[in-house]
Amino acid sequence: MVTRWIFSRRFSSQVQHSFVTTPIFYVNAAPHIGHLYSSVIADAIHRFNQITSGTEPGACFLSTGTDEHGLKIQQAAIKHSTSTEDYCNAIASKYRELFARFKIDYTRFIRTTDTDHRQAVHAFWRSLAASDSIYSASYSGWYCVPDETFLTDSQLKENERGEKCSLESGHPVEWTEEQNYMFRLGRYQEEVRHWVKGLEGRRIQPDKFSRILLQYLEEPLPDISISRPMSRVSWGIPVPSDPSQSVYVWLDALVNYLTVAGYPRENFQTRWPPTVQVLGKDILKFHGIYWPAFLMAANLEPPRQLLVHSHWTVDNQKMSKSKQNVVDPNERAELYTHEGLRYFLLREGVAHSDGNYSDTKILRVLNSELADTLGNLLSRCCGKALNAASVFPAIDKDAFEALKAVDATKRMLEALEEMPDKTLNHYRNFNFYLVVDTVVHLLHTANNFFETTAPWKLKKSDDPADHAKLNTILSITMEVLRQTGIVMQPIVPGLSAQLLDKLHISHTARRWNDLKVCLRSQDTPLSTDECILFRRIVPPAQPVSSETSRPEKSVPKKRKQSN
């Protein structure tokens, strides 16, 4: 057995690379907004790492993909009157299309039907067997098909019809008796507990989910089944030593993270372990207990950190097909744009609490912040009315000194000075909504500065000093916009690129270390592209969904910074 000393020593090492993962998404249905939420969180972390890390090729890696094995997939294919292969191909394509539209900058899109993944699963199984962590036994217990997991009596409840179901998900269970391969989970309980508490208490974020895992670990962990008879689950990867059994879908799925790193090739450890693994709270046990135990049994280092997020409700109700309130991100993007919906999810979502989706809320947020606060400020600076020469103007030193005496200027420059360090800290703590709060505050001070200094009045003057002051106001405001564009790249990469392109900022000058205040000494031309960054959204004549036409029922929760 691997000793705690070895794992403690590994955990204390500093990982130099960036390897971010999303969970792989089960293809029993088309993607919804919850899948997109996991993906934009991971993508934002990945993009932040790209603009803050070195420029070495391959230094930052993002993986995502689809989980395509298991009984549910067999059943879904039959329901759609198609083969399992064709069904999986169709749903996987929908995920690829979704990620392309929402600018998920993945390095590898993995499918568990990929050849290299099957090879990785076989190699990993052999490694578990070599550590004497697997044994064959007759197994009986309650199995939940929708959740693809066996449940103990303490994980069950009775529904309103008196039927046994999962305590957590509410999905029905069925009694199953079969010959399976078992994994000695209890052997690694103390090692897993030690791992959960690691990284100075920041292994599992937010920390409420660390506490949940430690509660799981208070009771002895039972050994778990890691295979199913091929006669019951034929759509899966065969156990390498016993083709009458298929590898348990969760073990199969978790190995995807190793596959994308190049396992079992020797050089895979140049990327391993993942630096941040993003997942929803419903799969915490699989990633926070089973996964590190599997890796320890194979003498591999567990992930450095897990970022666990909560779910989205709609009008304060859980999303479900029966309620017909599942939010289709592609449909909503038709009205709100892909960048707008991405912004809303990262702006409103908090990892530690469920978010509430509302068409009323998203309309208000996007119009107020992207259209009026950010977009309008860019349009005013770049429009012919105030900037006939279409330039990023030079600063006039005398005009700048005079403007610095104005309270609105002081407040803006103070917010601009503080913004990089504040947003850097918020990104590192995965608090994207606080990044946006900080940037929006800066933009509000910039708009107030613009209104207070009234450059449109200076435009009418024939005095050269007023003309110099006008250009200085435009230049200072554009500097705020330049820094906004750099900082917001992980949140809204498309809008940020459009903004920086308009200001004619070189692609080599869009990294975090380019946030130092730059006072222009000479005019530089702006791009000739249209400067309408985000158009105000006019709701359709008919509401997109029932909640659009009535006031929100929810009272906004006070959002605390997760730690």
Side-chain angles (χ1 to χ4, degrees), residues 145-180:
V145 173
D147 298 337
E148 297 277 15
T149 184
F150 284 98
L151 300 172
T152 63
D153 288 340
S154 64
Q155 296 172 310
L156 300 174
K157 67 177 181 179
E158 286 192 355
N159 60 24
E160 60 276 8
R161 297 186 297 275
E163 301 166 334
K164 288 187 181 294
C165 61
S166 167
L167 178 64
E168 184 173 348
S169 69
H171 293 145
V173 297
E174 57 186 40
W175 184 257
T176 300
E177 297 182 20
E178 55 194 29
Q179 190 74 18
N180 286 345

Coordinates of all heavy atoms in Angstrom, one line a residue, residues 145-180:
V145 N -30.4 3.0 -11.8 CA -30.0 3.1 -13.2 C -29.7 4.5 -13.7 O -28.7 4.8 -14.3 CB -31.0 2.4 -14.1 CG1 -30.7 2.6 -15.6 CG2 -31.1 0.9 -13.8
P146 N -30.6 5.5 -13.4 CA -30.4 6.9 -13.8 C -29.0 7.4 -13.3 O -28.4 8.2 -14.0 CB -31.6 7.7 -13.3 CG -32.6 6.6 -13.1 CD -31.9 5.4 -12.7
D147 N -28.7 7.1 -12.1 CA -27.4 7.6 -11.5 C -26.2 6.7 -11.7 O -25.1 7.0 -11.4 CB -27.6 7.8 -10.0 CG -28.7 8.8 -9.6 OD1 -29.0 9.7 -10.5 OD2 -29.3 8.7 -8.5
E148 N -26.5 5.5 -12.3 CA -25.5 4.5 -12.5 C -24.6 4.2 -11.3 O -23.4 4.3 -11.3 CB -24.5 5.0 -13.7 CG -25.2 5.2 -15.0 CD -25.4 3.8 -15.8 OE1 -25.2 2.8 -15.2 OE2 -25.6 3.9 -17.0
T149 N -25.3 3.9 -10.2 CA -24.5 3.7 -8.9 C -25.3 2.8 -8.0 O -26.6 2.8 -8.0 CB -24.2 5.0 -8.2 OG1 -23.4 4.7 -7.1 CG2 -25.5 5.7 -7.8
F150 N -24.6 2.0 -7.2 CA -25.2 1.2 -6.1 C -25.3 2.1 -4.9 O -24.5 2.9 -4.7 CB -24.3 0.0 -5.8 CG -24.4 -1.2 -6.8 CD1 -23.4 -1.3 -7.8 CD2 -25.4 -2.1 -6.7 CE1 -23.5 -2.3 -8.7 CE2 -25.5 -3.1 -7.7 CZ -24.6 -3.2 -8.7
L151 N -26.4 1.8 -4.1 CA -26.6 2.7 -3.0 C -26.8 1.8 -1.7 O -27.3 0.7 -1.8 CB -27.9 3.5 -3.2 CG -27.9 4.5 -4.4 CD1 -29.3 5.1 -4.6 CD2 -26.9 5.6 -4.1
T152 N -26.3 2.3 -0.6 CA -26.5 1.6 0.7 C -27.9 2.0 1.2 O -28.6 2.9 0.8 CB -25.4 2.1 1.7 OG1 -25.6 3.5 1.9 CG2 -24.1 1.8 1.1
D153 N -28.3 1.3 2.3 CA -29.6 1.6 2.9 C -29.7 3.0 3.4 O -30.8 3.6 3.3 CB -29.9 0.6 4.1 CG -30.2 -0.8 3.6 OD1 -30.5 -1.0 2.4 OD2 -30.0 -1.8 4.4
S154 N -28.6 3.6 3.9 CA -28.6 4.9 4.4 C -28.8 6.0 3.3 O -29.1 7.1 3.5 CB -27.4 5.2 5.2 OG -26.2 5.2 4.3
Q155 N -28.6 5.5 2.0 CA -28.7 6.4 0.9 C -30.1 6.3 0.2 O -30.3 6.8 -0.9 CB -27.6 6.2 -0.1 CG -26.2 6.4 0.4 CD -25.1 6.0 -0.5 OE1 -25.1 4.8 -1.0 NE2 -24.2 6.8 -0.8
L156 N -31.0 5.6 0.8 CA -32.3 5.4 0.2 C -33.4 6.1 1.0 O -33.2 6.4 2.2 CB -32.6 3.9 0.2 CG -31.7 3.0 -0.6 CD1 -32.0 1.5 -0.4 CD2 -31.7 3.3 -2.1
K157 N -34.5 6.3 0.4 CA -35.7 6.8 1.0 C -36.9 6.2 0.3 O -36.8 5.5 -0.8 CB -35.8 8.3 1.0 CG -35.9 8.9 -0.5 CD -36.1 10.4 -0.4 CE -36.2 11.0 -1.9 NZ -36.4 12.4 -1.9
E158 N -38.1 6.4 0.8 CA -39.3 6.0 0.1 C -40.0 7.2 -0.5 O -40.1 8.3 0.2 CB -40.3 5.3 1.1 CG -39.8 3.9 1.4 CD -40.9 3.1 2.1 OE1 -42.0 3.7 2.4 OE2 -40.7 1.9 2.4
N159 N -40.4 7.1 -1.8 CA -41.2 8.2 -2.4 C -42.6 8.2 -2.0 O -43.0 7.3 -1.1 CB -41.0 8.2 -3.9 CG -41.5 6.9 -4.5 OD1 -42.4 6.2 -4.0 ND2 -41.0 6.6 -5.7
E160 N -43.4 9.1 -2.5 CA -44.8 9.2 -2.1 C -45.6 7.9 -2.5 O -46.7 7.7 -1.9 CB -45.5 10.4 -2.8 CG -45.5 10.4 -4.3 CD -44.2 10.9 -4.9 OE1 -43.2 11.2 -4.1 OE2 -44.1 11.1 -6.1
R161 N -45.1 7.1 -3.4 CA -45.8 5.8 -3.7 C -45.3 4.7 -2.9 O -45.7 3.5 -3.1 CB -45.6 5.5 -5.2 CG -46.2 6.6 -6.1 CD -46.1 6.2 -7.6 NE -44.7 6.1 -8.0 CZ -44.0 7.1 -8.5 NH1 -44.5 8.3 -8.5 NH2 -42.8 6.9 -8.8
G162 N -44.4 4.9 -1.9 CA -43.9 3.9 -1.1 C -42.8 3.1 -1.7 O -42.4 2.0 -1.2
E163 N -42.2 3.6 -2.8 CA -41.2 2.9 -3.6 C -39.8 3.4 -3.1 O -39.6 4.6 -2.8 CB -41.3 3.1 -5.1 CG -42.6 2.6 -5.6 CD -42.9 3.1 -7.0 OE1 -42.4 4.2 -7.4 OE2 -43.6 2.5 -7.8
K164 N -38.8 2.5 -3.0 CA -37.5 2.9 -2.7 C -36.8 3.7 -3.8 O -37.0 3.4 -5.0 CB -36.6 1.7 -2.4 CG -37.0 1.0 -1.0 CD -36.0 -0.1 -0.7 CE -36.3 -0.8 0.6 NZ -36.2 0.0 1.7
C165 N -36.1 4.7 -3.4 CA -35.5 5.6 -4.4 C -34.2 6.2 -3.7 O -34.0 6.1 -2.5 CB -36.4 6.7 -4.9 SG -37.0 7.8 -3.7
S166 N -33.4 6.9 -4.5 CA -32.2 7.5 -4.0 C -32.6 8.7 -3.2 O -33.4 9.5 -3.5 CB -31.3 8.0 -5.2 OG -30.3 8.9 -4.8
L167 N -31.9 8.8 -2.0 CA -32.2 9.9 -1.1 C -31.7 11.2 -1.7 O -32.4 12.2 -1.5 CB -31.4 9.6 0.2 CG -31.4 10.7 1.3 CD1 -32.8 10.9 1.8 CD2 -30.5 10.4 2.4
E168 N -30.6 11.2 -2.5 CA -30.1 12.4 -3.1 C -30.8 12.9 -4.3 O -31.2 14.0 -4.4 CB -28.6 12.2 -3.4 CG -27.9 13.5 -3.9 CD -26.4 13.3 -4.0 OE1 -25.9 12.3 -3.5 OE2 -25.8 14.2 -4.6
S169 N -31.0 11.9 -5.3 CA -31.6 12.3 -6.6 C -33.1 12.1 -6.7 O -33.7 12.7 -7.5 CB -30.8 11.6 -7.7 OG -31.2 10.2 -7.7
G170 N -33.6 11.2 -5.9 CA -35.0 10.8 -6.0 C -35.3 9.8 -7.1 O -36.4 9.4 -7.3
H171 N -34.2 9.3 -7.8 CA -34.4 8.4 -8.8 C -34.7 7.0 -8.3 O -34.2 6.6 -7.2 CB -33.2 8.3 -9.8 CG -33.0 9.6 -10.5 ND1 -31.7 10.1 -10.8 CD2 -33.9 10.5 -11.1 CE1 -31.9 11.2 -11.5 NE2 -33.1 11.5 -11.6
P172 N -35.5 6.2 -9.0 CA -35.9 4.8 -8.5 C -34.7 3.9 -8.5 O -33.7 4.1 -9.2 CB -36.9 4.4 -9.5 CG -36.6 5.1 -10.7 CD -36.1 6.5 -10.3
V173 N -34.7 2.9 -7.6 CA -33.7 1.9 -7.5 C -34.3 0.5 -7.7 O -35.5 0.3 -7.6 CB -33.0 1.9 -6.2 CG1 -32.3 3.3 -6.0 CG2 -34.0 1.7 -5.0
E174 N -33.4 -0.5 -8.1 CA -33.9 -1.8 -8.3 C -32.9 -2.8 -7.6 O -31.7 -2.5 -7.5 CB -34.0 -2.2 -9.7 CG -32.7 -2.0 -10.5 CD -32.8 -2.2 -12.0 OE1 -33.9 -1.7 -12.6 OE2 -31.9 -2.7 -12.6
W175 N -33.4 -3.9 -7.0 CA -32.5 -4.8 -6.3 C -31.8 -5.6 -7.3 O -32.3 -6.1 -8.3 CB -33.3 -5.7 -5.4 CG -32.5 -6.7 -4.6 CD1 -32.3 -8.0 -4.8 CD2 -31.7 -6.3 -3.4 NE1 -31.4 -8.5 -3.9 CE2 -31.1 -7.5 -3.0 CE3 -31.5 -5.2 -2.7 CZ2 -30.2 -7.6 -1.9 CZ3 -30.7 -5.2 -1.6 CH2 -30.1 -6.4 -1.2
T176 N -30.5 -5.7 -7.2 CA -29.6 -6.4 -8.1 C -28.7 -7.4 -7.4 O -28.1 -7.1 -6.4 CB -28.7 -5.3 -8.9 OG1 -29.6 -4.4 -9.5 CG2 -27.8 -6.0 -9.9
E177 N -28.6 -8.6 -8.0 CA -27.7 -9.6 -7.5 C -26.9 -10.1 -8.7 O -27.5 -10.6 -9.7 CB -28.5 -10.8 -6.9 CG -29.3 -10.4 -5.6 CD -30.0 -11.5 -5.0 OE1 -29.6 -12.7 -5.3 OE2 -31.0 -11.3 -4.2
E178 N -25.6 -10.1 -8.6 CA -24.8 -10.5 -9.7 C -23.3 -10.7 -9.2 O -22.9 -10.2 -8.1 CB -24.8 -9.4 -10.8 CG -24.4 -8.0 -10.4 CD -24.8 -6.9 -11.4 OE1 -25.7 -7.1 -12.1 OE2 -24.1 -5.9 -11.4
Q179 N -22.5 -11.4 -10.1 CA -21.1 -11.6 -9.8 C -20.4 -10.4 -10.4 O -20.5 -10.1 -11.6 CB -20.6 -12.9 -10.5 CG -19.2 -13.3 -10.1 CD -19.2 -13.9 -8.7 OE1 -20.2 -14.3 -8.1 NE2 -18.0 -13.9 -8.1
N180 N -19.6 -9.7 -9.5 CA -18.9 -8.5 -9.9 C -17.5 -8.5 -9.5 O -17.1 -9.3 -8.6 CB -19.6 -7.2 -9.3 CG -20.9 -6.9 -10.0 OD1 -21.2 -7.3 -11.1 ND2 -21.7 -6.0 -9.3

